[in-house]
Amino acid sequence: MSRLDKLLAGWTFRTATPTFEPGEVITAYVSERNGDGLTVRIGDSIIRVEDGRGAAVEDKIRLEVTSFDATNHVGTGEVVEVLGPDA
């Protein structure tokens, strides 16, 4: 094993399109508010939330993923807690 191999052993790169499992709770920032609710983007993956519970754009929220399509990287979720803009 070369020195470079030893140095890089165990390193991985994050994907631009992470996938999520239903029931998984994640923390993210609200990137957009529209008439239908909120849009949360994690990399190129999008999670739409219908009831924003008073969250505004750029607020940090904790949400539970209710469904996720790994092929299109689009899902839905429900707000568990609004952590606010300073969180």
Side-chain angles (χ1 to χ4, degrees):
M1 182 180 277
S2 73
R3 288 184 183 182
L4 181 59
D5 291 337
K6 288 180 183 179
L7 177 68
L8 299 178
W11 282 27
T12 59
F13 292 100
R14 293 187 305 177
T15 177
T17 51
T19 57
F20 303 97
E21 296 294 323
E24 187 174 350
V25 177
I26 60 173
T27 302
Y29 287 94
V30 176
S31 59
E32 182 180 325
R33 177 180 270 291
N34 54 35
D36 296 338
L38 306 174
T39 300
V40 175
R41 297 177 188 273
I42 301 99
D44 291 333
S45 295
I46 298 172
I47 298 178
R48 301 191 196 291
V49 179
E50 287 186 24
D51 179 16
R53 295 190 186 177
V57 173
E58 296 186 8
D59 275 358
K60 191 174 191 179
I61 63 171
R62 187 167 288 125
L63 65 95
E64 181 178 352
V65 177
T66 54
S67 68
F68 193 81
D69 178 7
T71 304
N72 296 318
H73 305 287
V74 176
T76 59
E78 295 178 0
V79 174
V80 173
E81 180 181 7
V82 178
L83 301 172
D86 299 331

